[in-house]
Amino acid sequence: MKKITILNNKGGVGKTATVTAVSHILATVYNKKVLVVDMDPQGNTSNLFGKTDFEALIRARLYNEPLAMGMYSVGELLVDSSLNPYQAIRSTAYEGLDLLPSFPTLAAIEEQLKADIKQPQQFRLANQLRKVENDYDYCVIDCAPSLSILNVNALVASDEVYIPTATDDGSLFGIELTISELISEVQKYAQNLQIGGIFFTKYRNYNVSRYARELLGTVYPDHFLPITIRESIAVSESTYNHKPLLAYDPKARKSATQDYLKLTGYIVSPVRKRYLKELEESA
């Protein structure tokens, strides 16, 4: 199972849109068995792919009752290493695509992890995913925009991290924080982690966008991907309809859908330089 994290310390750059679009394309276009892991307490990926009975969840926690099957989340797996991941993993409406959801309680669980010094905090997700690694081809992990132990867990568990960014200066600065404060530190003890690429989302062909593109290519020449996700209302519309982008736009008429197909093609390509060259020649 190849494990991929989508991360940027800056919010609003299309992390969840990327996770939902790419994971769905992997499952439906490339016929891969995919596990989506939601490590963001906001749970936007979980809300798009699944439904949670929050009333039952609150009752269970209020009266300290054991959680029923289907009420476990990634948070419980991080706290209790004895749990089987399949107690939390759910199927989705899409064949080959499963979800390990997040609940809002994940923020409180993060504080529990910080206080628990009995076992290393940063390897807990990796240890749980190891139990199911033979059952999936890909694992795609969504993260919150923070320098948190949750994101450290995601990176430690991953083979590659992809960094989406908008063209504003805050998003570009988020890249530097993400690389220097998170990725580089994790790579000191997780040598398997590589940067898969940095790419633009919500892209408009403005002068400032072209400047940002030139800047990113200069500062991160080894990581900058010439695959840009163009701004499209279809991305917002798909979230309102609780569908991943290609399910909302199945004929790929929208620019963002076409771009995410290209990005996913890059992720699965065994010869990436050749893939990028072919994209350039066909443009």
Side-chain angles (χ1 to χ4, degrees), residues 60-166:
R61 296 190 181 279
L62 184 63
Y63 298 108
N64 198 29
E65 298 174 352
L67 293 174
M69 185 65 70
M71 291 176 60
Y72 286 95
S73 71
V74 69
E76 283 73 40
L77 296 185
L78 295 175
V79 170
D80 187 351
S81 61
S82 68
L83 284 177
N84 185 325
Y86 280 109
Q87 292 179 257
I89 292 173
R90 307 176 186 180
S91 58
T92 70
Y94 307 100
E95 185 176 355
L97 182 58
D98 290 346
L99 170 69
L100 180 50
S102 165
F103 296 160
T105 50
L106 185 57
I109 286 174
E110 180 179 2
E111 296 305 313
Q112 287 182 245
L113 294 180
K114 293 177 183 177
D116 184 1
I117 60 173
K118 292 181 293 183
Q119 56 179 312
Q121 303 166 349
Q122 64 268 42
F123 300 102
R124 299 192 183 198
L125 180 63
N127 291 338
Q128 290 287 15
L129 291 180
R130 202 168 288 121
K131 299 176 185 178
V132 300
E133 64 182 353
N134 293 327
D135 300 330
Y136 296 94
D137 300 305
Y138 284 88
C139 174
V140 185
I141 307 174
D142 194 8
C143 292
S146 63
L147 303 173
S148 67
I149 190 63
L150 297 177
N151 288 348
V152 170
N153 265 268
L155 290 173
V156 170
S158 296
D159 302 301
E160 289 186 324
V161 53
Y162 287 83
I163 308 173
T165 181

Side-chain angles (χ1 to χ4, degrees), residues 21-276:
V22 167
S23 60
H24 176 254
I25 291 169
L26 284 170
T28 59
V29 176
Y30 292 95
N31 297 315
K32 302 297 183 181
K33 183 69 174 172
V34 182
L35 175 64
V36 178
V37 179
D38 193 351
M39 290 290 282
D40 186 348
Q42 293 184 38
N44 292 327
T45 291
S46 300
N47 290 335
L48 187 142
F49 279 130
K51 295 181 180 180
T52 300
D53 188 345
F54 286 108
E55 183 179 347
L57 180 67
I58 292 170
R59 282 201 310 270
R61 296 190 181 279
L62 184 63
Y63 298 108
N64 198 29
E65 298 174 352
L67 293 174
M69 185 65 70
M71 291 176 60
Y72 286 95
S73 71
V74 69
E76 283 73 40
L77 296 185
L78 295 175
V79 170
D80 187 351
S81 61
S82 68
L83 284 177
N84 185 325
Y86 280 109
Q87 292 179 257
I89 292 173
R90 307 176 186 180
S91 58
T92 70
Y94 307 100
E95 185 176 355
L97 182 58
D98 290 346
L99 170 69
L100 180 50
S102 165
F103 296 160
T105 50
L106 185 57
I109 286 174
E110 180 179 2
E111 296 305 313
Q112 287 182 245
L113 294 180
K114 293 177 183 177
D116 184 1
I117 60 173
K118 292 181 293 183
Q119 56 179 312
Q121 303 166 349
Q122 64 268 42
F123 300 102
R124 299 192 183 198
L125 180 63
N127 291 338
Q128 290 287 15
L129 291 180
R130 202 168 288 121
K131 299 176 185 178
V132 300
E133 64 182 353
N134 293 327
D135 300 330
Y136 296 94
D137 300 305
Y138 284 88
C139 174
V140 185
I141 307 174
D142 194 8
C143 292
S146 63
L147 303 173
S148 67
I149 190 63
L150 297 177
N151 288 348
V152 170
N153 265 268
L155 290 173
V156 170
S158 296
D159 302 301
E160 289 186 324
V161 53
Y162 287 83
I163 308 173
T165 181
T167 57
D168 62 281
D169 59 348
S171 298
L172 297 178
F173 184 62
I175 296 172
E176 178 56 31
L177 280 178
T178 302
I179 293 176
S180 63
E181 299 297 324
L182 268 179
I183 297 173
S184 295
E185 291 301 311
V186 169
Q187 284 176 324
K188 292 177 181 178
Y189 52 86
Q191 287 82 13
N192 62 303
L193 178 65
Q194 302 294 324
I195 297 177
I198 304 169
F199 60 95
F200 282 112
T201 60
K202 304 179 181 181
Y203 190 87
R204 290 185 178 184
N205 196 24
Y206 294 155
N207 287 335
V208 67
S209 303
R210 291 190 288 272
Y211 169 76
R213 191 183 181 98
E214 181 180 343
L215 176 64
L216 207 59
T218 301
V219 177
Y220 303 106
D222 296 331
H223 303 310
F224 176 61
L225 293 181
I227 300 175
T228 295
I229 311 300
R230 289 165 287 180
E231 186 173 57
S232 173
I233 190 63
V235 175
S236 296
E237 291 174 346
S238 67
T239 60
Y240 277 110
N241 285 273
H242 287 262
K243 290 183 177 181
L245 189 57
L246 187 60
Y248 179 73
D249 178 28
K251 295 186 178 179
R253 290 172 173 165
K254 305 298 184 181
S255 58
T257 313
Q258 299 163 13
D259 297 335
Y260 273 120
L261 284 165
K262 293 175 183 177
L263 177 63
T264 309
Y266 174 83
I267 290 172
V268 302
S269 175
V271 189
R272 290 176 170 176
K273 288 185 178 179
R274 182 188 300 171
Y275 178 82
L276 292 177

